[in-house]
Amino acid sequence: MKNKINITGKTLIDLGFRSGKWFPEAIEHINTYQLADEAMHAYLEQYKMPPIQELHKTAIDFKINIKAENELEQDNVTKVTESMKKLMKTPTIINGAIMPDACPSGPKGTIPVGGVVVAKNAIHPGMHSADICCSVMLTDFGKTDPKKVLDAAHASTHFGPGGRPRGHQYQLTDELLAEFKSNFFLKEDKDISMAREHLGTQGDGNHFLFVGTSAKTGNTMMITHHGSRGVGARLFKKGMHIANKFRMDISPETLKQNAWIPFDTEEGKTYWSALQTIRKWTKLNHEVIHDATLKKLETEAENRYWNEHNFVFKEGDLFYHAKGATPLDKKFMPDITGPRLIPLNMAEPVLIVEGATTENNLGFAPHGAGRNLSRTQHKRNKEGQTNEEIFAIETEGLDVRFYSKEIDISELPSAYKNAATVRNQMYEFNLGTVIDEVMPYGSIMAGDFSINAPWRVKRRNRNK
């Protein structure tokens, strides 16, 4: 008489399977249908997992395009390089670089701002972060008065939390709407609603609208800086959730922030497609603000170009994760229309650059000036002076506006690294050639919206 098959979880583990939620269902199925030998193995094939990917025993080498020129910078450089060393043990990573504007952006092992990390056949959502496709766009307004451009732009843009109210929203294109609806990561009603509401908005933080004049032509130029707003943040959150599921199965020792989605999976290809849709949305987000400003002035653009500096770029099976790094190589930008833009701070020129890929730059340049201190620490260092005093000193001669009408000193020039140092190191490490500069006239930023947050206003009124 044939023995009755009665396998247990230990049987599956002995066969080389890792314990999972599917165990009870599989055990019941095998025992119910008395599967044995080839029949059992054929059934279990669907649950077969790839082998565990171990961390690299030693960190993969990365290029260091930064050097410290004082004690404060040395502390920053040390933290950045130590974080990169830990990150470069991630199994998928094959190369990396840090730029002169690099600064820490989280716990040790997190990609720094100003970091480039190359992964094989893997997308790491944590390495593009929530502000997917943070980017800059330039429109050339010819000989239009800079003040008129800034005034028209102020009436056209939108900073701060939330989106545009009904009646003031821009229209999504039919093509873009169809892409949202057909993608698993983007098709929820909340995603589409946010894509509509946040179109034509710039958010807060270091995002800005800058007006200046070309050093080469004297033309007035407007530059916007922002990312994909709430719709990008939602995609990031979903991507991290999927990546962490893969991490627990295939590389549990990998840091959670460095989890990845294998590109050769359905999830990987769908996520990559979602990133491209978010890229299109963000480009449109710039365009509607620029076009509205042109319309108010009843003029036409003489030129326009843009580039992202917070994105994932693909070359074959390699994925270049740029967390605050400007792509120089044309292969990274399918719709390249001009040179690249590197803003420094509101009192410094925006650099217009071009350049070639080298062994140390991996095809990238800095994206700005970066920080040596956190926003909070910078504010502490300014104690003893009023916001108005600091503002007057640091913006002298410029038309600088805060959309909320509240000064944010953590976005004034002294909050950032020395611009001359960043430019010198760009030259020293061959990180792009400056071909023009947009000399500053003025700019708009969000300002400190938290001062008049509803809960604070309510508390002030109650105290009165």
Side-chain angles (χ1 to χ4, degrees):
M1 181 178 177
K2 193 173 181 180
N3 290 333
K4 184 178 180 182
I5 294 171
N6 186 30
I7 71 160
T8 64
K10 184 177 183 305
T11 310
L12 298 181
I13 291 171
D14 289 342
L15 288 171
F17 290 93
R18 298 198 290 275
S19 180
K21 292 180 180 179
W22 59 273
F23 262 36
E25 181 182 343
I27 291 167
E28 182 180 0
H29 182 89
I30 292 168
N31 289 338
T32 299
Y33 293 98
Q34 292 292 286
L35 301 182
D37 303 327
E38 289 184 11
M40 181 174 68
H41 286 289
Y43 169 77
L44 289 172
E45 189 67 26
Q46 65 185 301
Y47 299 111
K48 194 173 182 180
M49 295 292 296
I52 292 287
Q53 296 193 42
E54 307 286 350
L55 297 177
H56 297 307
K57 288 186 169 55
T58 57
I60 300 296
D61 287 339
F62 58 96
K63 315 303 186 295
I64 300 176
N65 302 301
I66 185 174
K67 66 180 185 180
E69 299 192 359
N70 57 50
E71 189 175 337
L72 186 61
E73 290 179 1
Q74 185 57 60
D75 180 62
N76 177 73
V77 171
T78 299
K79 287 176 180 175
V80 166
T81 52
E82 288 303 312
S83 193
M84 279 291 286
K85 286 177 183 176
K86 191 167 185 178
L87 178 153
M88 297 300 284
K89 289 186 175 183
T90 306
T92 57
I93 305 306
I94 65 164
N95 208 345
I98 50 176
M99 299 291 156
D101 56 338
C103 51
S105 62
K108 187 183 287 189
T110 303
I111 187 172
V113 174
V116 178
V117 173
V118 187
K120 191 173 181 65
N121 200 36
I123 306 172
H124 296 254
M127 294 186 192
H128 61 57
S129 74
D131 198 11
I132 301 173
C133 202
C134 191
S135 45
V136 277
M137 178 174 283
L138 177 149
T139 294
D140 187 335
F141 281 74
K143 302 302 180 186
T144 309
D145 180 354
K147 185 181 186 307
K148 289 183 178 179
V149 174
L150 192 63
D151 288 344
H154 200 154
S156 303
T157 190
H158 178 288
F159 282 91
R164 288 179 175 269
R166 288 186 180 276
H168 297 273
Q169 293 176 5
Y170 292 103
Q171 191 73 31
L172 282 176
T173 65
D174 291 341
E175 178 188 359
L176 199 54
L177 184 58
E179 287 190 27
F180 271 87
K181 289 181 176 179
S182 65
N183 190 290
F184 164 78
F185 286 101
L186 300 173
K187 67 181 184 180
E188 291 181 28
D189 289 345
K190 182 67 175 176
D191 298 316
I192 295 171
S193 172
M194 200 166 279
R196 289 191 172 111
E197 293 169 15
H198 285 200
L199 193 61
T201 72
Q202 295 191 247
D204 54 13
N206 66 349
H207 299 151
F208 63 75
L209 188 151
F210 178 101
V211 173
T213 53
S214 162
K216 183 179 287 187
T217 67
N219 285 4
T220 298
M221 294 175 165
M222 183 179 98
I223 298 159
T224 49
H225 171 226
H226 56 77
S228 51
R229 304 287 285 114
V231 66
R234 282 178 60 82
L235 175 60
F236 164 73
K237 186 176 180 180
K238 294 174 188 177
M240 284 300 296
H241 177 71
I242 296 294
N244 194 49
K245 281 188 170 183
F246 276 108
R247 181 188 71 86
M248 290 187 291
D249 282 335
I250 63 179
S251 188
E253 288 187 349
T254 290
L255 295 174
K256 189 173 182 179
Q257 65 264 37
N258 294 332
W260 71 87
I261 306 174
F263 179 66
D264 57 3
T265 61
E266 182 180 354
E267 295 93 333
K269 287 179 171 54
T270 307
Y271 190 73
W272 175 250
S273 178
L275 287 173
Q276 307 320 302
T277 299
I278 289 298
R279 183 181 189 272
K280 292 176 187 176
W281 183 94
T282 308
K283 187 178 183 183
L284 179 63
N285 193 21
H286 285 280
E287 288 172 343
V288 295
I289 296 170
H290 286 244
D291 290 347
T293 305
L294 287 164
K295 186 176 180 180
K296 280 189 181 298
L297 294 168
E298 298 181 337
T299 189
E300 293 184 359
E302 293 198 9
N303 202 356
R304 176 178 290 173
Y305 42 87
W306 86 301
N307 64 263
E308 61 269 70
H309 52 223
N310 207 68
F311 201 58
V312 186
F313 305 88
K314 183 177 182 295
E315 182 187 24
D317 63 354
L318 300 183
F319 291 80
Y320 291 72
H321 300 74
K323 174 70 181 295
T326 301
L328 288 174
D329 199 313
K330 292 180 180 179
K331 68 186 177 185
F332 294 134
M333 294 191 68
D335 52 359
I336 185 68
T337 57
R340 318 303 185 272
L341 303 165
I342 302 179
L344 297 168
N345 66 59
M346 62 176 64
E348 293 286 338
V350 173
L351 308 180
I352 300 179
V353 305
E354 60 184 13
T357 297
T358 66
E359 186 179 345
N360 66 295
N361 70 27
L362 304 184
F364 291 85
H367 86 303
R371 298 175 185 267
N372 281 320
L373 294 173
S374 68
R375 295 173 187 272
T376 303
Q377 187 57 53
H378 175 71
K379 289 179 178 179
R380 288 198 192 107
N381 288 355
K382 294 292 184 179
E383 288 177 356
Q385 295 176 280
T386 67
N387 286 354
E388 290 71 22
E389 288 170 340
I390 300 167
F391 178 81
I393 293 168
E394 298 200 28
T395 65
E396 185 178 2
L398 300 174
D399 184 352
V400 173
R401 312 172 186 184
F402 286 111
Y403 199 82
S404 66
K405 298 183 172 60
E406 299 291 348
I407 295 168
D408 181 359
I409 64 169
S410 72
E411 287 301 334
L412 295 178
S414 64
Y416 289 90
K417 291 185 178 186
N418 182 277
T421 298
V422 174
R423 292 189 65 166
N424 289 340
Q425 292 183 22
M426 281 179 61
Y427 177 78
E428 179 178 349
F429 295 109
N430 195 15
L431 305 174
T433 301
V434 178
I435 61 173
D436 195 5
E437 301 174 64
V438 185
M439 311 307 291
Y441 167 79
S443 59
I444 307 166
M445 298 191 80
D448 193 350
F449 271 88
S450 67
I451 289 176
N452 293 312
W455 65 271
R456 282 189 171 172
V457 172
K458 186 176 180 180
R459 187 173 66 180
R460 285 201 295 266
N461 291 338
R462 187 169 62 243
N463 291 340
K464 286 179 183 178

